[in-house]
Amino acid sequence: MSKISIAIDGPASAGKSTVAKILAKDLGYIYLDTGAMYRAITYAALKSNCDLASEEAIAKLLPTTMITFKQTEQGQLVFINDEDVTEAIRKPDVTNAVSQVAAQAAVRTDLVRRQRAFGEEGGIVMDGRDIGTAVLPNAEVKIFLVASVVERAERRYKENIENGIETDFETLKKEIEDRDYKDTTRKISPLVQAEDAVKIDTTGMGIAEVVSAIKDQVTLKMDKKR
Ligand code: CDP
Ligand code: CDP
């Protein structure tokens, strides 16, 4: 049976990458974390002391910033050229700057081109903000994952505790709200539900329940294709 493309979009901490990874594994598909690519460019910009407001300076970094993913027993690792940046791109300095960098035209054009190349053959689960609207507009299954901001902040808070990171809940919630605001109001490919996407409100839902709801959509699509 031919492999389809699955686009998962939604705001910060809605559970996109967690469910996308499980889904890809279960289906034997590739998983592409597009947020990690925006984070990687932001990390490279911070490392070279770029003025983050200068589109020109960041555009110059793009051709030399090769981003690759490596599957390991511990999960997916992210590299910039030969440097393992898996942990560094999740640090607060990157998290708080990424939406500014991701709003820039040169960055989006370049990364969307790279993301489409990954998805050419189908058999992919991609998560981000503009997958169903801009990167894979022909994806067979499009999911828009949401959850209340309080629940999303609680999920991140718990995740941080599990990783031994102390955070203030209200600060975390505000950071999520700020990033959502920047992502939904930017000019190019803002975060918006694609017309043909299925919205799943995951407030109060466990991970397995969300994965199962998406699999129902995949089965529906596969049955129609048969
Ligand atoms: O996992 P989390 O929700 O923290 O965010 P992410 O998926 O790692 O994405 C980080 C940031 O990259 C987002 O807040 C967006 O500004 C940007 N992004 C984007 O603009 N387009 C995408 N397809 C994916 C991420
Ligand atoms: O990729 P995105 O920013 O949308 O979210 P994530 O990093 O996949 O999920 C954020 C946190 O919420 C993780 O610790 C997940 O384990 C957790 N989560 C959850 O508790 N319940 C769900 N239904 C989905 C995710």
Side-chain angles (χ1 to χ4, degrees):
M1 164 153 320
S2 64
K3 292 185 166 185
I4 63 166
S5 298
I6 303 171
I8 303 182
D9 290 301
S13 276
K16 302 180 298 297
S17 58
T18 305
V19 299
K21 270 180 215 159
I22 298 171
L23 202 62
K25 193 163 176 255
D26 290 356
L27 296 172
Y29 282 16
I30 293 168
Y31 163 60
L32 185 67
D33 177 353
T34 65
M37 299 172 80
Y38 289 94
R39 285 174 179 272
I41 298 296
T42 305
Y43 170 80
L46 288 169
K47 198 179 170 191
S48 46
N49 286 319
C50 264
D51 171 5
L52 295 187
S54 166
E55 299 208 10
E56 216 185 330
I58 294 176
K60 276 196 193 138
L61 282 177
L62 291 165
T64 53
T65 310
M66 286 304 112
I67 305 165
T68 49
F69 296 91
K70 200 168 154 186
Q71 309 301 331
T72 68
E73 300 256 310
Q74 294 79 47
Q76 196 174 64
L77 303 182
V78 187
F79 284 81
I80 295 179
N81 304 323
D82 289 329
E83 183 186 354
D84 181 347
V85 296
T86 314
E87 284 180 16
I89 63 169
R90 305 279 160 203
K91 296 257 157 80
D93 56 339
V94 174
T95 301
N96 293 326
V98 62
S99 292
Q100 183 182 6
V101 173
Q104 299 177 7
V107 172
R108 297 210 76 81
T109 306
D110 187 292
L111 293 190
V112 168
R113 181 184 49 75
R114 297 189 208 188
Q115 291 155 11
R116 284 193 183 135
F118 272 101
E120 252 166 16
E121 310 279 313
I124 192 154
V125 185
M126 235 187 251
D127 82 308
R129 302 294 187 286
D130 61 340
I131 311 305
T133 53
V135 182
L136 302 175
N138 298 322
E140 285 87 348
V141 173
K142 296 184 186 177
I143 304 292
F144 198 71
L145 278 193
V146 298
S148 74
V149 69
V150 170
E151 176 143 344
R152 290 187 285 128
E154 278 169 1
R155 289 176 185 174
R156 267 293 142 86
Y157 185 79
K158 271 193 206 141
E159 185 182 284
N160 285 348
I161 299 270
E162 279 160 21
N163 292 323
I165 306 164
E166 271 294 319
T167 35
D168 172 61
F169 178 78
E170 286 305 322
T171 309
L172 207 56
K173 181 165 157 268
K174 185 163 184 315
E175 279 169 7
I176 288 176
E177 283 170 332
D178 284 352
R179 203 141 55 86
D180 286 351
Y181 178 77
K182 285 189 190 128
D183 291 343
T184 49
T185 55
R186 69 174 176 232
K187 286 205 185 79
I188 313 162
S189 308
L191 167 66
V192 63
Q193 181 177 346
E195 270 178 24
D196 49 351
V198 174
K199 181 172 170 174
I200 303 177
D201 185 344
T202 71
T203 311
M205 280 171 88
I207 294 167
E209 209 181 334
V210 180
V211 172
S212 163
I214 301 177
K215 279 187 180 165
D216 288 347
Q217 295 301 320
V218 173
T219 307
L220 265 178
K221 230 1 128 178
M222 293 289 205
D223 286 347
K224 272 194 195 151
K225 271 186 92 157
R226 248 188 269 268

mmCIF file of all heavy atoms in Angstrom, residues 12-13 16 34-35 38-39 90 98-99 102 108 128-131 156 179 183 186, ligand 1:
data_model
loop_
_atom_site.group_PDB
_atom_site.id
_atom_site.type_symbol
_atom_site.label_atom_id
_atom_site.label_comp_id
_atom_site.label_asym_id
_atom_site.label_seq_id
_atom_site.Cartn_x
_atom_site.Cartn_y
_atom_site.Cartn_z
ATOM 1 N N ALA A 12 2.319 25.680 20.886
ATOM 2 C CA ALA A 12 3.393 25.117 21.713
ATOM 3 C C ALA A 12 2.830 24.167 22.766
ATOM 4 O O ALA A 12 1.810 24.448 23.402
ATOM 5 C CB ALA A 12 4.156 26.253 22.395
ATOM 6 N N SER A 13 3.507 23.034 22.940
ATOM 7 C CA SER A 13 3.179 22.054 23.982
ATOM 8 C C SER A 13 1.812 21.396 23.851
ATOM 9 O O SER A 13 1.258 20.937 24.842
ATOM 10 C CB SER A 13 3.250 22.704 25.373
ATOM 11 O OG SER A 13 4.550 22.675 25.801
ATOM 12 N N LYS A 16 2.379 17.738 19.950
ATOM 13 C CA LYS A 16 2.637 17.385 18.544
ATOM 14 C C LYS A 16 3.789 16.391 18.382
ATOM 15 O O LYS A 16 3.631 15.344 17.759
ATOM 16 C CB LYS A 16 2.959 18.659 17.719
ATOM 17 C CG LYS A 16 1.883 19.707 17.733
ATOM 18 C CD LYS A 16 2.261 20.914 16.913
ATOM 19 C CE LYS A 16 3.488 21.654 17.409
ATOM 20 N NZ LYS A 16 3.319 22.245 18.769
ATOM 21 N N THR A 34 9.983 19.775 12.495
ATOM 22 C CA THR A 34 10.371 21.020 11.807
ATOM 23 C C THR A 34 10.724 22.123 12.805
ATOM 24 O O THR A 34 11.517 23.005 12.494
ATOM 25 C CB THR A 34 9.272 21.519 10.846
ATOM 26 O OG1 THR A 34 8.105 21.877 11.604
ATOM 27 C CG2 THR A 34 8.923 20.476 9.804
ATOM 28 N N GLY A 35 10.128 22.051 14.014
ATOM 29 C CA GLY A 35 10.460 23.047 15.044
ATOM 30 C C GLY A 35 11.940 22.985 15.389
ATOM 31 O O GLY A 35 12.581 24.017 15.628
ATOM 32 N N TYR A 38 13.920 25.179 13.026
ATOM 33 C CA TYR A 38 13.897 26.618 13.354
ATOM 34 C C TYR A 38 14.743 26.889 14.598
ATOM 35 O O TYR A 38 15.428 27.911 14.692
ATOM 36 C CB TYR A 38 12.447 27.103 13.543
ATOM 37 C CG TYR A 38 11.699 27.144 12.228
ATOM 38 C CD1 TYR A 38 10.929 26.063 11.813
ATOM 39 C CD2 TYR A 38 11.823 28.232 11.364
ATOM 40 C CE1 TYR A 38 10.281 26.071 10.585
ATOM 41 C CE2 TYR A 38 11.181 28.243 10.135
ATOM 42 C CZ TYR A 38 10.413 27.163 9.755
ATOM 43 O OH TYR A 38 9.788 27.169 8.531
ATOM 44 N N ARG A 39 14.688 25.943 15.539
ATOM 45 C CA ARG A 39 15.502 26.095 16.747
ATOM 46 C C ARG A 39 17.000 26.039 16.394
ATOM 47 O O ARG A 39 17.814 26.779 16.959
ATOM 48 C CB ARG A 39 15.171 24.983 17.751
ATOM 49 C CG ARG A 39 13.841 25.187 18.451
ATOM 50 C CD ARG A 39 13.478 23.992 19.317
ATOM 51 N NE ARG A 39 12.213 24.193 20.002
ATOM 52 C CZ ARG A 39 12.100 24.787 21.184
ATOM 53 N NH1 ARG A 39 13.175 25.183 21.836
ATOM 54 N NH2 ARG A 39 10.917 24.965 21.741
ATOM 55 N N ARG A 90 16.980 23.215 22.998
ATOM 56 C CA ARG A 90 15.790 23.224 23.875
ATOM 57 C C ARG A 90 15.973 24.189 25.043
ATOM 58 O O ARG A 90 15.096 24.327 25.887
ATOM 59 C CB ARG A 90 15.509 21.821 24.454
ATOM 60 C CG ARG A 90 15.374 20.745 23.426
ATOM 61 C CD ARG A 90 14.009 20.696 22.776
ATOM 62 N NE ARG A 90 14.098 19.992 21.503
ATOM 63 C CZ ARG A 90 13.246 20.128 20.509
ATOM 64 N NH1 ARG A 90 12.205 20.923 20.630
ATOM 65 N NH2 ARG A 90 13.407 19.478 19.386
ATOM 66 N N VAL A 98 13.282 31.897 19.252
ATOM 67 C CA VAL A 98 12.983 31.178 17.999
ATOM 68 C C VAL A 98 11.845 31.790 17.178
ATOM 69 O O VAL A 98 11.933 31.845 15.945
ATOM 70 C CB VAL A 98 12.760 29.657 18.282
ATOM 71 C CG1 VAL A 98 11.585 29.393 19.190
ATOM 72 C CG2 VAL A 98 12.595 28.865 17.000
ATOM 73 N N SER A 99 10.810 32.296 17.832
ATOM 74 C CA SER A 99 9.676 32.811 17.055
ATOM 75 C C SER A 99 10.051 34.061 16.255
ATOM 76 O O SER A 99 9.477 34.318 15.195
ATOM 77 C CB SER A 99 8.480 33.081 17.961
ATOM 78 O OG SER A 99 7.983 31.856 18.440
ATOM 79 N N ALA A 102 11.938 32.625 13.285
ATOM 80 C CA ALA A 102 11.038 31.849 12.417
ATOM 81 C C ALA A 102 10.076 32.738 11.625
ATOM 82 O O ALA A 102 9.421 32.268 10.699
ATOM 83 C CB ALA A 102 10.244 30.847 13.253
ATOM 84 N N ARG A 108 12.258 31.057 6.431
ATOM 85 C CA ARG A 108 11.122 30.169 6.098
ATOM 86 C C ARG A 108 11.280 29.565 4.704
ATOM 87 O O ARG A 108 11.044 28.377 4.500
ATOM 88 C CB ARG A 108 9.784 30.913 6.202
ATOM 89 C CG ARG A 108 9.461 31.415 7.586
ATOM 90 C CD ARG A 108 7.975 31.465 7.854
ATOM 91 N NE ARG A 108 7.418 30.152 8.099
ATOM 92 C CZ ARG A 108 7.473 29.516 9.272
ATOM 93 N NH1 ARG A 108 8.033 30.075 10.323
ATOM 94 N NH2 ARG A 108 6.951 28.311 9.395
ATOM 95 N N GLY A 128 4.656 20.786 13.161
ATOM 96 C CA GLY A 128 5.122 22.176 13.178
ATOM 97 C C GLY A 128 3.978 23.155 13.331
ATOM 98 O O GLY A 128 3.058 22.940 14.139
ATOM 99 N N ARG A 129 4.045 24.236 12.567
ATOM 100 C CA ARG A 129 3.009 25.271 12.643
ATOM 101 C C ARG A 129 2.322 25.481 11.298
ATOM 102 O O ARG A 129 1.179 25.914 11.233
ATOM 103 C CB ARG A 129 3.638 26.627 13.073
ATOM 104 C CG ARG A 129 4.379 26.609 14.405
ATOM 105 C CD ARG A 129 3.425 26.361 15.551
ATOM 106 N NE ARG A 129 4.051 26.492 16.873
ATOM 107 C CZ ARG A 129 4.892 25.618 17.419
ATOM 108 N NH1 ARG A 129 5.236 24.532 16.748
ATOM 109 N NH2 ARG A 129 5.373 25.809 18.637
ATOM 110 N N ASP A 130 3.055 25.195 10.205
ATOM 111 C CA ASP A 130 2.551 25.504 8.855
ATOM 112 C C ASP A 130 2.626 24.287 7.941
ATOM 113 O O ASP A 130 2.729 24.420 6.729
ATOM 114 C CB ASP A 130 3.412 26.629 8.250
ATOM 115 C CG ASP A 130 4.880 26.220 8.120
ATOM 116 O OD1 ASP A 130 5.298 25.260 8.814
ATOM 117 O OD2 ASP A 130 5.605 26.829 7.315
ATOM 118 N N ILE A 131 2.614 23.089 8.516
ATOM 119 C CA ILE A 131 2.807 21.889 7.679
ATOM 120 C C ILE A 131 1.596 21.686 6.761
ATOM 121 O O ILE A 131 1.747 21.535 5.553
ATOM 122 C CB ILE A 131 3.085 20.628 8.544
ATOM 123 C CG1 ILE A 131 4.180 20.896 9.578
ATOM 124 C CG2 ILE A 131 3.455 19.440 7.646
ATOM 125 C CD1 ILE A 131 5.489 21.406 9.026
ATOM 126 N N ARG A 156 4.401 21.048 30.179
ATOM 127 C CA ARG A 156 5.815 21.465 30.100
ATOM 128 C C ARG A 156 6.457 21.488 31.481
ATOM 129 O O ARG A 156 7.617 21.135 31.657
ATOM 130 C CB ARG A 156 5.932 22.861 29.466
ATOM 131 C CG ARG A 156 6.157 22.883 27.975
ATOM 132 C CD ARG A 156 7.518 22.321 27.558
ATOM 133 N NE ARG A 156 7.403 21.549 26.318
ATOM 134 C CZ ARG A 156 7.470 22.088 25.102
ATOM 135 N NH1 ARG A 156 7.684 23.359 24.945
ATOM 136 N NH2 ARG A 156 7.331 21.324 24.041
ATOM 137 N N ARG A 179 4.828 33.040 22.753
ATOM 138 C CA ARG A 179 5.262 32.362 21.533
ATOM 139 C C ARG A 179 4.054 32.098 20.621
ATOM 140 O O ARG A 179 4.119 32.315 19.416
ATOM 141 C CB ARG A 179 5.987 31.060 21.894
ATOM 142 C CG ARG A 179 6.926 30.586 20.828
ATOM 143 C CD ARG A 179 8.188 30.009 21.417
ATOM 144 N NE ARG A 179 7.948 28.958 22.379
ATOM 145 C CZ ARG A 179 7.786 27.669 22.065
ATOM 146 N NH1 ARG A 179 7.841 27.293 20.808
ATOM 147 N NH2 ARG A 179 7.608 26.760 22.999
ATOM 148 N N ASP A 183 3.616 33.428 16.866
ATOM 149 C CA ASP A 183 3.438 32.440 15.790
ATOM 150 C C ASP A 183 2.115 32.622 15.040
ATOM 151 O O ASP A 183 2.041 32.337 13.843
ATOM 152 C CB ASP A 183 3.528 31.007 16.349
ATOM 153 C CG ASP A 183 4.935 30.642 16.816
ATOM 154 O OD1 ASP A 183 5.894 31.340 16.429
ATOM 155 O OD2 ASP A 183 5.079 29.662 17.572
ATOM 156 N N ARG A 186 2.344 36.394 12.909
ATOM 157 C CA ARG A 186 3.386 36.761 11.947
ATOM 158 C C ARG A 186 2.779 36.803 10.539
ATOM 159 O O ARG A 186 1.740 36.175 10.265
ATOM 160 C CB ARG A 186 4.561 35.779 12.023
ATOM 161 C CG ARG A 186 4.227 34.407 11.531
ATOM 162 C CD ARG A 186 5.466 33.512 11.492
ATOM 163 N NE ARG A 186 5.082 32.193 11.095
ATOM 164 C CZ ARG A 186 5.383 31.079 11.753
ATOM 165 N NH1 ARG A 186 6.109 31.115 12.842
ATOM 166 N NH2 ARG A 186 4.971 29.906 11.310
HETATM 167 O O1 CDP B 1 7.889 22.068 20.756
HETATM 168 P P1 CDP B 1 7.518 23.505 20.879
HETATM 169 O O2 CDP B 1 6.053 23.709 20.794
HETATM 170 O O3 CDP B 1 8.167 24.211 21.996
HETATM 171 O O4 CDP B 1 8.038 24.270 19.596
HETATM 172 P P2 CDP B 1 8.754 23.732 18.325
HETATM 173 O O5 CDP B 1 7.846 22.832 17.563
HETATM 174 O O6 CDP B 1 10.086 23.220 18.718
HETATM 175 O O7 CDP B 1 8.900 25.058 17.467
HETATM 176 C C1 CDP B 1 9.678 26.151 17.940
HETATM 177 C C2 CDP B 1 9.272 27.401 17.181
HETATM 178 O O8 CDP B 1 9.639 27.246 15.805
HETATM 179 C C3 CDP B 1 7.782 27.741 17.166
HETATM 180 O O9 CDP B 1 7.363 28.481 18.292
HETATM 181 C C4 CDP B 1 7.676 28.561 15.875
HETATM 182 O O10 CDP B 1 8.071 29.897 16.086
HETATM 183 C C5 CDP B 1 8.718 27.912 14.968
HETATM 184 N N1 CDP B 1 8.141 26.961 14.005
HETATM 185 C C6 CDP B 1 7.586 27.461 12.852
HETATM 186 O O11 CDP B 1 7.528 28.669 12.674
HETATM 187 N N2 CDP B 1 7.130 26.626 11.886
HETATM 188 C C7 CDP B 1 7.191 25.303 12.050
HETATM 189 N N3 CDP B 1 6.759 24.505 11.066
HETATM 190 C C8 CDP B 1 7.723 24.765 13.240
HETATM 191 C C9 CDP B 1 8.172 25.620 14.219
#
